[in-house]
Amino acid sequence: MLNFYQPQPDQGTPEKLIGKQVTLQIDGVEVTVTEGTSVMRAASQISVKIPRLCATEQLESFGSCRVCLVEIQGRKGFPASCTTPVEAGMRVRTQSDQLAKLRRNVMELYISDHPLDCLTCPTNGDCELQDTAGELGLREVRYGYSGANHLDVDKDTTNPYFTFDASKCIVCSRCVRACEEVQGTFALTVDGRGFDSVISAGQGEDFMSSECVSCGACVDACPTATLTEKKIIELGKPEHSVVTTCAYCGVGCSFQAEMKGDQVVRMTPHKQGKANQGHACVKGRFAFGYVTHKDRITRPMIRNSIAEEWTTVSWDEAVQFAAQRFKEIQASYGKNSIGAISSSRCTNEEVYLVQKMVRTGFGNNNIDTCARVCHSPTGFGLKTTLGESAGTQTFASVDAADVVIVMGANPTDAHPVFASRLKRRLRAGAKLIVIDPRKIELVSSPHIKAEFHLPVRPGTNVTVLNALAHVIVSEERHSEDYITERSDLDAFEKWRNFILDEKHSPENTAEITGIDAAELREAARLYAEAANAAIFYGLGVTEHSQGSTAVMAIANLAMLTGNLGRDGVGVNPLRGQNNVQGSCDMGSFPHELPGYRHISDSQTRQLFEDEWKVSLDSEPGLRIPNMFDAALDGDFKGLYCQGEDIAQSDPNTQHVEAALTALECLVVQDIFLNETAKFAHVFLPGATFLEKEGTFTNAERRISRVRKAIAPLSGKADWQATMTFANALGCNMSYQHPSEIMAEIARLTPTFTGVSYEKLDRLGSIQWPCNAAAPEGTPIMHVDEFVRGKGFFALTEYIPTDERANRKFPLLLTTGRILSQYNVGAQTRRTDNSQWHPEDIVEIHPHDAEERGISQGDWIGIQSRVGQTVLHAEVTERVTPGVIYTTFHHPVSGANVITTENSDWATNCPEYKVTAVQVSKVSQPSSWQKRQKSYHDEQLQLLEKALQ
Amino acid sequence: MLVKSPMQENRAEADDIKAIVEQFQGLPGALLPLLHAVQSRQGYVAPEWVPAIADGLNLSRAEVHGVISFYPDFHSQPRGQHVVQVCRAEACQAMGSRKLEAHAKKVLAVDYGETTLDGEFTLEPVYCLGNCACSPSIRVDNRIIGQVDAALFDQVIADVDKIESSTVSSSTAESFSYQFYLSRDTSALAVDAEAVAERLQASAIESDLEVNLVRTGSRGLFYLEPLLEVDINQKRIGFGPVTAADIDSIVSALATDPSIHPLYLGLVDELDYLSQQQRITFARAGLGDPVCLDNYQNLAGFDGLRKALLMTQQEIVDQIKQSGLRGRGGAAFPAGIKLQTVLDTTSEQKFVVCNADEGDSGTFADRLLMEADPYQLIEGMIIAGLAVDASQGYIYLRSEYPVAHQMLNAAIQRALEAGFLGRNILGSSKDFHLEVRLGAGAYICGEETAMLDSLEGKRGIVRVKPPLPAIQGLFEQPTVVNNVLTLAAMSSILQSGGDAYQSMGSGRSRGTLVVQLAGNVKRGGLVEVPFGLTLRELVETYGQGCASGRAMRAIQVGGPLGAFLPESQWDTPLDYEAFTEIDAMIGHGGVVVFDDTVDMAAQARFSMEFCAVESCGKCTPCRIGSTRGLEVIDRITSDQERQENIMVLQDLCDTMEAGSLCAMGGMTPFPVRSAINYFPEDFSGELA
């Protein structure tokens, strides 16, 4: 899919999907299109390009530039083709002498206020204004250039990724409209009017101080050089491009990596990408500079102990070293003393290989994935109730939702492209219920106002969900018919009796949850009465000691109200990392083979044994927390950790560090010397998503291709590295290309049997299940019946966490994400995104702050039962009294030094979202932070020689 | 004395802003009313208040900023203690406003947009105050003053602190022996009717005379304002134009023989200016207290509504269709068809919006109606609401009409209290809510789609059509949008039936034509006649030539976008089609007369300048073209490649006409081209 670079095709106005077909004549040629289609778009269907400047298919037509005027028989004047809908029998003429003159005269007006520096302009050759002037044959500007103009306006270069040069602006408002319609931030406006109209960010500010979130939709929309990527200014136009999939969040946006030789010039969201449809966020579009950051380690390294210097070695030497150590460990401590952690950032094929290597090379099932610490309760909860460990919808399905619940998720920061889509739907009239301890952006922001915000006390989600269900059942607002037809009625009866208990009423739970009973009742009614209601949830639901219960309670709510199995409804987990869904699908759990089939199931095991030509251990292996505990107990000594920074991301950092220190051989495969690698003995250089072939599966089960744009800096893509390591262990793998791995996955996994690279290339992406029953994939699941047959109403008793606030630890700390940074920040911290978020800060309510004499910007110490860290304070009403909030994007923040080892009863997913703490004003970093800094400095020194 | 520290002041201001924001939260399209409230409380809208406003209304800071920067009424900086606006529009130009503005700038030693060093005065341009028959006009704070010359300007500036803006008062006292009538509409007030009223009251006390003074709306005979009428034997005789100094002599004359007084006019109803008219829409104008409900009902008021309440929606629409009523805002679209479209479009919420943004220079009919007979508009809107099942109406009123604003609000309040508005109208179980929303100084908001955006609290940017407002209008709902006179006419149509209305007029122009005679004309005022009168008959019979006594040279019909007509075209009959034939338009019926001192190149330049000043900035021909047009005309008049530039100008006019999105850019070429074509000598350089 390597193409010569050219701008993505644009038919000028949005596609109309629904309506009857209308036939008209354009320039004597008949064309049939859906009613509501513009004359402009209809013309483009027969390859008639009508010149235009303010129109683009990403935006509703606007009709301002007046160069797309046409003649229509029987109509007066010259209608704009972008704003004129087709009519049956219409006869349109797109070229005539009069039109030519009119368009040229309009262009002449534009150029009378435009610099004539095309040759030195950064978008020379990629400029719609330039192209159109050429098409229209403009030869002179009779007004001269001495009149009023905007040529002396200063450039705004404050945004790290793009410049705003208003002297080149034609005030087509495409940027303003993109910010409104596509992104939904409304950060841009037109300032003034008439000739003085100028585009303004915020209140006439520079872009960085405005409300701009740097999604880049405006840059994409700009038809001139006014908004231009700095990379384009620096490097010039790209010459070829590759379509690939973003490696940030679980939205899984499709991008065109636009290249010049082996350099990425820019990432442009791909309009055909079904997850993002041409939109992107500040991470995906701009934050790719980490790929070539100087901190990248591109050669394998080894050392005997973590106090020693690193030595650079060949791949062969590195894997032999690791393999030998692992064999020795197994010889001394037994088969189960080694294990691996796969990464949700790697491709499906890579994750698959790691688990295959563990099961066939290590001979055990000690394979776990980082989904353990985020969405494992989703897998468990949805499998139990509905029968499949995955979200039920496509993102596009939200366009049909009338009521949306967002619970424990902050889409505008963590899933920005989906958030834009959701906001668009909300602006069009859907109602929103936010259940979150924090006043997230969706609660109230430009043109968005949640109908209800239920500020749940951290740790009491299950109570809230039970109360919602209680209202619906006790007020008989549930869908009796749906339940009768679709659910296990015995289970439902039991559940009904359980939920009707008055202890679940909003009035009786208000004290636990902190939510006003009347508000909760109204919210429940709104959800229950909606024609289509959808639930989107995130880690604020799963990362609790009752995470699995909460997921089941969510599924119960959806079944209860008949909101499953069609467009506009469903239960939708918003996955944190790009390939959380995929890494779970690929069997990288200690108890499951690919396709969520239990390892104890001999039939499934047999299938794999036949394919892999080994016998498999039927006993589930260790989960990540078990590995740490076992390491500290001395039973677990060797770990292969791919693309995952457990030292920063897992809870109770000091416990993790002790476990890592106890290992005899830690093999880390990563692109940087991350926090975990500082405890490693073998470092295998990883490859970024731009350096390899493969697939990612996003939160809507969409499998999309990852395509190589540049060669792996280390010489090996991660799948090749894993294969080399596996072969050193004696596995005998010989894949030539990831497509062969996918073919093997398809052979072995019923939900993947129809998936192939050929089909992915053809369709662009596929939502699993994809098999004989659904050859092109399954956008919406559970349509006629649930995957498990009858839906199962699980009892969702609320069992409070042990992590409770008391006199000593009176506040609850909860954690989350911020837009500009991603996860542990390893990538985004190495880009200019850090300009927006240079450090993690802690949010505290003014009441709590005042009580403790804390003011804005103070250093505050946060002490939990397991540790202490120090961060700067932000005093804000975004959090409710009694709750503090921080992010964990910077290692030095030590957010996980304070989180505890409490975890979900079913899956061990850590309870990141609830930690009882006390805070106080302090004057210096915590002792852990000081230790962290000195250890960090020490490890960098040990690295120095290897890098020379 | 307690002096507030800056910080205290800031906090007080912030609290004040917060309170205002809370007051407007939840109101649809709240931003403009909110900004007006902030502006009137604080005098300006400081950038640091924008975040709180944005947050409170779920808008972005950028949006609020964009709106503030769009409307001339909103200011980010404090202005002077007093704001002096000089009208720059054509009717005032025809009476010497160019000299007046030069004088104003000199006296105050500031340019437009600037504030005097002592902070006392800010000078601003304004484009039409609706006082065009008593031009030139200025506005000082909330008071409009007409017939202003240099001396009067200086006096106004000197006495500025004595000026108080008047409020609605209908001073009906008990039993007096004389019943007087005196208008308190904008134009009468602009020529100091207030002083007349005061003197009358004072005189009454001094001479122990019993006087009952009813403040009415104007009859539209503005050349006679202040017109003092006295009831003698159930007949009203008039004196005018009256000054305070004339009162004593009038009062004495009344005791003897009124007809001997030099200002005696005889029976007002028999004045030729009035008796030759056929007043339907303006039948009640000037007769009584405009907000007196009894008065309105005694004159057949609400009869149309009562009939409508007994009809089906389709029957009401049929009556309007039958009447042949066409929109009076300028486009002359059949009103019945518009109602039918809205009626046929299904929606839970529909709206009736009255376009009272009467921005055309030389027009004041809407203002006169709202100030003289506001219930007629209210009644018409209720009927339109009933016809299409719309329960909410808005009157989008230009902020240059403070008196009309007071009058409408007072009338709405009384109509609400009396059960004509609000829930359950006259026990019919039908609802109609009505609210006045103020514009903010942007001419373009008279364009219906820009007005809808403005009503929604946005920048007044012209929308594309389709969708038609009747299908997707205000807040994307089906909306009846009509001009004041069109909606008002619906009350009389329902009262006497569509056929009666249809029986008047000529050709496809049915009913009566309302024209406004203004500028350099001896007898300026409002004329309501059947269609078909020629322009010459109008300016000669009613206007009786130029006020200056000089020859008439050009007449601009239809506001700032209307053509300048030379004498050869004055025999054109006043109907929509006849005017279209000569590349002109009647529009909203403004007729501005210029005498032979007019420089038509300067007028052409002004037409382009007006477009440049008032363009919303959306479409290119208007946004850039108007500024280039101005520059080209300057080149022509300064003799730079004159012929080539005249060609360029003609070409530009073609481009603007064919390429613009709305009538603003599309019709600016009309006055420009008519000036070049009919008065080429003014562009030849020979006159200069």
Side-chain angles (χ1 to χ4, degrees), chain B residues 167-280:
Chain B
T167 52
V168 176
S169 63
S170 57
S171 46
T172 317
E174 294 102 64
S175 64
F176 291 100
S177 43
Y178 286 115
Q179 176 77 37
F180 285 95
Y181 300 89
L182 179 68
S183 170
R184 64 168 309 284
D185 87 305
T186 297
S187 282
L189 294 174
V191 289
D192 224 358
E194 220 48 30
V196 172
E198 272 167 32
R199 183 59 217 153
L200 191 62
Q201 302 287 7
S203 162
I205 293 163
E206 282 164 22
S207 57
D208 201 20
L209 192 76
E210 294 178 349
V211 167
N212 182 13
L213 175 62
V214 173
R215 300 303 298 272
T216 63
S218 176
R219 289 186 185 254
L221 278 53
F222 290 126
Y223 65 101
L224 292 175
E225 291 292 358
L227 168 62
L228 184 65
E229 297 180 42
V230 192
D231 198 326
I232 306 279
N233 302 327
Q234 312 289 323
K235 300 230 159 121
R236 281 159 71 163
I237 60 164
F239 300 87
V242 175
T243 66
D246 300 319
I247 293 302
D248 290 353
S249 62
I250 291 174
V251 169
S252 323
L254 284 176
T256 55
D257 178 4
S259 66
I260 57 165
H261 195 276
L263 297 178
Y264 177 73
L265 299 166
L267 291 174
V268 176
D269 284 338
E270 288 176 11
L271 289 170
D272 67 326
Y273 202 96
L274 202 53
S275 63
Q276 294 172 48
Q277 298 193 27
Q278 182 173 7
R279 288 212 162 174
I280 296 172

Side-chain angles (χ1 to χ4, degrees), chain A residues 293-302 309-313 670-674 683 685 830 936-948:
Chain A
H293 194 272
K294 63 175 173 48
D295 290 353
R296 279 290 298 272
I297 296 173
T298 56
R299 285 176 292 174
M301 304 185 300
I302 57 171
E309 287 190 341
W310 286 102
T311 310
T312 305
V313 294
D670 208 279
I671 56 175
F672 299 113
L673 190 81
N674 62 15
F683 185 89
R830 291 179 174 93
H936 172 82
D937 292 346
E938 194 182 306
Q939 286 295 322
L940 284 191
Q941 276 197 343
L942 297 175
L943 182 65
E944 241 168 47
K945 216 167 98 188
L947 291 182
Q948 278 157 16

Side-chain angles (χ1 to χ4, degrees), chain A residues 61-66 69 77-78 83-85 101-102 105-106 108-110 112-113 142-144 146-150 169-172 180 185-197 200-205 209-211 439 443-449, chain B residues 46-48 50-51 54-55 57-63 65-67 69-72 441-444 459 461-466 612-625 627-629 631-632 635 645 647-648 651-652 654-656 658-661:
Chain A
S61 59
F62 189 57
S64 77
C65 77
R66 317 311 286 174
L69 306 178
F78 304 90
T83 58
T84 305
K101 184 176 166 197
L102 187 51
N105 284 354
V106 172
E108 181 184 17
L109 289 171
Y110 274 123
S112 72
D113 185 18
R142 294 165 297 169
Y143 303 104
S146 58
N149 62 62
H150 298 86
C169 178
I170 59 169
V171 203
C172 62
E180 294 175 359
T185 294
F186 296 76
L188 303 179
T189 186
V190 179
D191 182 314
R193 59 178 186 173
F195 191 79
D196 296 331
S197 301
S200 148
Q203 298 173 246
E205 303 148 79
S209 21
S210 78
E211 296 145 305
K439 199 172 158 194
V443 172
S444 178
S445 56
H447 300 272
I448 301 294
K449 191 149 185 80
Chain B
E48 58 267 29
V50 168
D55 199 41
L57 299 188
N58 280 96
L59 298 169
S60 68
R61 290 192 290 114
E63 287 175 285
H65 173 74
V67 167
S69 73
F70 184 86
Y71 294 99
Y443 173 78
I444 195 62
R459 295 164 54 81
I461 301 290
V462 175
R463 300 179 184 175
V464 295
K465 287 188 265 192
V613 169
E614 296 291 355
S615 166
C616 79
K618 180 172 175 178
C619 76
T620 317
C622 180
R623 176 170 62 88
I624 306 180
T627 292
R628 294 289 170 254
E631 292 164 1
V632 173
R635 270 176 226 144
N645 274 313
M647 294 281 290
V648 172
D651 220 19
L652 173 66
D654 290 346
T655 308
M656 288 176 72
S660 295
L661 179 58

Side-chain angles (χ1 to χ4, degrees), chain A residues 93-333:
Chain A
R93 215 173 151 195
T94 72
Q95 298 292 344
S96 73
D97 290 349
Q98 247 186 317
L99 285 171
K101 184 176 166 197
L102 187 51
R103 290 171 184 160
R104 200 180 302 129
N105 284 354
V106 172
M107 184 52 75
E108 181 184 17
L109 289 171
Y110 274 123
I111 303 305
S112 72
D113 185 18
H114 195 84
L116 298 176
D117 60 353
C118 284
L119 284 181
T120 51
C121 179
T123 61
N124 184 19
D126 194 4
C127 168
E128 294 178 39
L129 185 69
Q130 186 184 41
D131 294 348
T132 310
E135 285 164 28
L136 299 181
L138 181 67
R139 297 291 173 259
E140 64 167 333
V141 174
R142 294 165 297 169
Y143 303 104
Y145 301 97
S146 58
N149 62 62
H150 298 86
L151 303 183
D152 296 329
V153 189
D154 286 337
K155 242 191 219 185
D156 174 3
T157 57
T158 53
N159 186 289
Y161 298 118
F162 59 84
T163 62
F164 174 65
D165 180 356
S167 73
K168 300 196 161 158
C169 178
I170 59 169
V171 203
C172 62
S173 294
R174 271 162 71 163
C175 54
V176 179
R177 291 181 285 138
C179 193
E180 294 175 359
E181 293 175 32
V182 178
Q183 165 60 24
T185 294
F186 296 76
L188 303 179
T189 186
V190 179
D191 182 314
R193 59 178 186 173
F195 191 79
D196 296 331
S197 301
V198 288
I199 302 303
S200 148
Q203 298 173 246
E205 303 148 79
D206 59 55
F207 269 74
M208 271 310 255
S209 21
S210 78
E211 296 145 305
C212 169
V213 294
S214 200
C215 71
C218 57
V219 181
D220 232 10
C222 182
T224 70
T226 310
L227 286 157
T228 310
E229 292 91 346
K230 286 183 173 173
K231 281 276 215 175
I232 292 282
I233 297 175
E234 184 192 325
L235 301 171
K237 233 175 86 174
E239 42 80 16
H240 73 272
S241 69
V242 182
V243 174
T244 189
T245 303
C246 182
Y248 282 118
C249 76
V251 176
C253 296
S254 181
F255 275 91
Q256 194 164 292
E258 299 180 359
M259 312 286 301
K260 201 174 185 108
D262 62 356
Q263 249 182 325
V264 179
V265 178
R266 67 178 164 194
M267 298 289 285
T268 307
H270 193 44
K271 287 202 241 173
Q272 311 305 320
K274 295 201 180 75
N276 57 319
Q277 294 178 334
H279 191 37
C281 76
V282 63
K283 293 187 282 271
R285 187 193 293 264
F286 293 123
F288 57 87
Y290 71 89
V291 169
T292 49
H293 194 272
K294 63 175 173 48
D295 290 353
R296 279 290 298 272
I297 296 173
T298 56
R299 285 176 292 174
M301 304 185 300
I302 57 171
R303 59 180 176 181
N304 281 309
S305 84
I306 60 171
E308 272 181 30
E309 287 190 341
W310 286 102
T311 310
T312 305
V313 294
S314 69
W315 272 103
D316 199 44
E317 204 175 328
V319 296
Q320 288 305 335
F321 179 89
Q324 195 185 337
R325 287 230 166 172
F326 272 25
K327 282 179 188 157
E328 285 166 9
I329 289 169
Q330 278 187 314
S332 315
Y333 302 97

Side-chain angles (χ1 to χ4, degrees), chain B residues 88-421:
Chain B
R88 295 194 68 209
E90 287 90 339
C92 285
Q93 288 176 27
M95 290 299 284
S97 67
R98 283 168 202 254
K99 256 193 261 173
L100 181 64
E101 62 183 326
H103 177 77
K105 288 178 184 176
K106 198 175 118 202
V107 169
L108 299 176
V110 290
D111 206 338
Y112 281 139
E114 293 176 354
T115 300
T116 53
L117 285 177
D118 59 4
E120 185 81 355
F121 296 102
T122 299
L123 186 65
E124 289 176 355
V126 69
Y127 296 87
C128 198
L129 293 164
N131 189 38
C132 317
C134 302
S135 59
S137 306
I138 64 171
R139 179 176 176 178
V140 180
D141 301 328
N142 244 356
R143 189 177 172 205
I144 293 163
I145 303 157
Q147 294 167 356
V148 182
D149 56 15
L152 179 54
F153 183 86
D154 294 348
Q155 192 195 325
V156 168
I157 294 300
D159 295 346
V160 69
D161 288 324
K162 292 185 200 156
I163 294 176
E164 283 166 30
S165 61
S166 54
T167 52
V168 176
S169 63
S170 57
S171 46
T172 317
E174 294 102 64
S175 64
F176 291 100
S177 43
Y178 286 115
Q179 176 77 37
F180 285 95
Y181 300 89
L182 179 68
S183 170
R184 64 168 309 284
D185 87 305
T186 297
S187 282
L189 294 174
V191 289
D192 224 358
E194 220 48 30
V196 172
E198 272 167 32
R199 183 59 217 153
L200 191 62
Q201 302 287 7
S203 162
I205 293 163
E206 282 164 22
S207 57
D208 201 20
L209 192 76
E210 294 178 349
V211 167
N212 182 13
L213 175 62
V214 173
R215 300 303 298 272
T216 63
S218 176
R219 289 186 185 254
L221 278 53
F222 290 126
Y223 65 101
L224 292 175
E225 291 292 358
L227 168 62
L228 184 65
E229 297 180 42
V230 192
D231 198 326
I232 306 279
N233 302 327
Q234 312 289 323
K235 300 230 159 121
R236 281 159 71 163
I237 60 164
F239 300 87
V242 175
T243 66
D246 300 319
I247 293 302
D248 290 353
S249 62
I250 291 174
V251 169
S252 323
L254 284 176
T256 55
D257 178 4
S259 66
I260 57 165
H261 195 276
L263 297 178
Y264 177 73
L265 299 166
L267 291 174
V268 176
D269 284 338
E270 288 176 11
L271 289 170
D272 67 326
Y273 202 96
L274 202 53
S275 63
Q276 294 172 48
Q277 298 193 27
Q278 182 173 7
R279 288 212 162 174
I280 296 172
T281 303
F282 287 89
R284 291 185 205 91
L287 293 184
D289 178 356
V291 293
C292 173
L293 266 172
D294 289 342
N295 190 47
Y296 182 65
Q297 293 189 83
N298 289 340
L299 297 168
F302 290 123
D303 285 3
L305 172 63
R306 288 180 205 277
K307 286 188 184 163
L309 284 170
L310 301 173
M311 295 160 82
T312 65
Q313 293 175 334
Q314 190 58 54
E315 282 167 353
I316 302 174
V317 173
D318 287 343
Q319 286 297 315
I320 304 298
K321 278 187 183 165
Q322 180 57 33
S323 73
L325 175 68
R326 291 165 77 181
R328 298 310 171 84
F333 188 82
I337 295 181
K338 201 181 270 187
L339 288 184
Q340 187 73 58
T341 309
V342 178
L343 174 61
D344 293 344
T345 307
T346 331
S347 171
E348 274 183 29
Q349 177 69 62
K350 299 178 186 179
F351 296 102
V352 176
V353 173
C354 171
N355 184 346
D357 193 12
E358 184 179 43
D360 283 357
S361 165
T363 66
F364 41 76
D366 296 348
R367 173 184 68 69
L368 180 58
L369 185 111
M370 292 183 285
E371 292 177 358
D373 195 13
Y375 291 119
Q376 188 186 168
L377 172 61
I378 293 168
E379 184 182 354
M381 291 186 73
I382 303 168
I383 291 169
L386 293 175
V388 302
D389 197 20
S391 60
Q392 175 71 51
Y394 292 99
I395 299 172
Y396 185 85
L397 178 71
R398 64 199 300 257
S399 62
E400 290 85 345
Y401 285 179
V403 177
H405 190 205
Q406 296 167 7
M407 210 64 89
L408 285 171
N409 276 340
I412 288 172
Q413 188 52 39
R414 290 186 190 195
L416 192 62
E417 285 162 7
F420 293 102
L421 274 176

Side-chain angles (χ1 to χ4, degrees), chain A residues 463 470 501-513 517:
Chain A
T463 313
H470 176 88
D501 190 324
E502 274 304 310
K503 75 179 179 185
H504 297 308
S505 77
E507 292 71 20
N508 289 333
T509 53
E511 206 172 322
I512 302 169
T513 62

